[in-house]
Structures are given as C-alpha cells and as structure tokens.
Amino acid sequence: MHIAILSSSTRLNRQSHRVALALQQNIENQGAHTASVLDLAAYQFPIMEEVLQKLPNPPAGLAEFAHKVKSADAFIFVSPEYNGSYTAALKNAVDYLKESEFNKKVIGVASVTSGSMGGMRAALAMQQLALGVSGYAIPQMLLVGQVAQRFDEAGNLLDPLFEKSMHSFLQHFIWLAEAVVEKKMSVLAG
Ligand SMILES: Cc1cc2nc3c(=O)[nH]c(=O)nc-3n(C[C@H](O)[C@H](O)[C@H](O)COP(=O)(O)O)c2cc1C
C-alpha cells in the first residue's frame, strides 16, 4: 500500500512540515508500506480557475500531482490551523482534482499549531473535506500542539511522550486503509 501525505503549509519558516516528515519516516520504518510527502509549498499552485480536466494550460506540476494522488491508496492530510481551519493551499489543491481520485480511499488528518491546542478545528474541517471528496475519513485525528517542541526540522521526535499519540493514530489509520485495500483486491480478483 502507498500512502501519500499532503503537507499543506506554504508559509515561509513553516513548522507543520515537520509532522508530515515524521509521519512519512514512521510509516517507512514500520516496513509494511511506502509513504511519500506531497509538498504543496514545492508545487506552488495558483488559485484554481478551473478543474484540471478542463484547464487548457494546467500549471506546472499539477498533472504530476494529480497522478500521484490517483496512484496513492490512502492519504494523510497534514495542515496547520489557520484562523480556525486548514490552509487555503490544501483546499485549492484538492479542488483542482476529480473527486474520484480520493473516492473510497482512507484519509487520516493531522493538524498542527505552535500553541498548545493542536488545531482541533482544522482537524474537524479536514475530516469534512475528506468526506467531501468521498474519502473514508477515520474518526481518530493527530493533534500536534507546540510543534517546535515535539519535532525538529527533519521530523525527528523531540518529545518521547508524543510517540504514543503518533503510533496510536497510525495504527488506526493503517488498520482501516489495509482493510479497504484488501476489499478492493478481493473485488478485483472476483
Ligand atoms: C494565518 C495564521 C493563522 C493562525 N491561526 C491559528 C489558529 O486558528 N489556531 C491556532 O492554534 N494557531 C493559529 N496560528 C498559529 C499557527 O498554529 C502556527 O503559526 C503554526 O506554526 C502554523 O503552521 P506552519 O508553521 O506550518 O505554517 C495561525 C498562524 C497563522 C500564520
């Protein structure tokens, strides 16, 4: 199974990207699945004027991004909380794509703040987004408050107490994602 992690902050000196890197490392280290980070700061998509399918001249990287989303089996949306929600960059990127690219795929959400609250409102809003594109949003969420104290820039864990939260979130996410992938394989096998 391949898991795509959408890293949604395009802010200079962003910190939530650390969580995307940490999740990727954690999944890869478990050895059962592969994971990649789709970094919206690297893509720099302009504000959507039309969906990809109908765009005469798509922005650079958009077709490749769409292909990576289509090829992934499950997703984790990682976003900071900005004014009570997830980033505009995440909504913008998702809106370019066809709903079918997320359809029947498991989506976990991780929200990130510099303060202690961890961004519950952004996490809830991302679950709504996941449902909006016909994904299977898992009920568990990873809330990362005080991000700079928990992860370094490379995504290494600085706070050993947080390992349990991350492990538990990933366990729930992978459990359902594997079940959905197995179901699809059994349907294909007839
Ligand atoms: C535009 C903006 C809005 C923010 N709104 C919230 C918020 O609603 N709740 C919160 O806990 N922190 C909020 N913060 C603080 C962020 O949690 C903090 O800046 C965090 O590092 C942002 O993630 P990033 O560094 O990946 O961009 C806000 C920050 C910015 C720049």
Side-chain angles (χ1 to χ4, degrees):
M1 178 168 78
H2 184 72
I3 297 156
I5 299 164
L6 267 67
S7 183
S8 308
S9 175
T10 54
R11 193 176 69 84
L12 305 175
N13 304 313
R14 64 187 175 165
Q15 297 186 332
S16 59
H17 192 61
R18 300 171 182 210
V19 177
L21 296 175
L23 288 165
Q24 181 192 25
Q25 286 162 24
N26 211 299
I27 294 164
E28 294 270 348
N29 289 344
Q30 288 179 28
H33 304 291
T34 55
S36 57
V37 174
L38 303 185
D39 182 1
L40 298 185
Y43 284 111
Q44 291 286 335
F45 298 134
I47 295 286
M48 194 212 59
E49 293 178 328
E50 183 50 281
V51 296
L52 172 60
Q53 256 186 318
K54 295 182 183 169
L55 264 182
N57 298 305
L62 184 59
E64 180 225 300
F65 173 73
H67 177 72
K68 287 184 172 167
V69 168
K70 195 178 178 144
S71 321
D73 298 299
F75 301 92
I76 302 177
F77 292 170
V78 178
S79 177
E81 183 169 274
Y82 284 170
N83 299 317
S85 189
Y86 55 82
T87 65
L90 175 60
K91 187 67 163 60
N92 191 52
V94 168
D95 285 347
Y96 270 114
L97 306 178
K98 284 187 291 187
E99 179 193 305
S100 61
E101 282 155 16
F102 295 98
N103 186 32
K104 291 198 173 91
K105 293 180 183 175
V106 170
I107 303 177
V109 304
S111 63
V112 184
T113 60
S114 52
S116 60
M117 303 301 279
M120 168 66 82
R121 294 173 300 173
L124 289 169
M126 280 190 280
Q127 288 179 332
Q128 289 297 317
L129 176 64
L131 298 176
V133 292
S134 299
Y136 298 140
I138 66 162
Q140 296 79 14
M141 47 179 69
L142 185 67
L143 303 180
V144 187
Q146 298 178 312
V147 57
Q149 280 137 269
R150 296 210 156 120
F151 297 96
D152 71 12
E153 279 186 25
N156 299 308
L157 199 59
L158 299 172
D159 173 5
L161 293 177
F162 200 68
E163 189 159 14
K164 201 174 154 201
S165 304
M166 218 165 64
H167 183 75
S168 163
F169 168 74
L170 282 176
Q171 215 176 13
H172 287 292
F173 168 73
I174 288 171
W175 186 90
L176 187 61
E178 279 178 348
V180 169
V181 167
E182 276 168 28
K183 173 70 180 171
K184 286 176 186 164
M185 277 161 38
S186 78
V187 168
L188 278 177

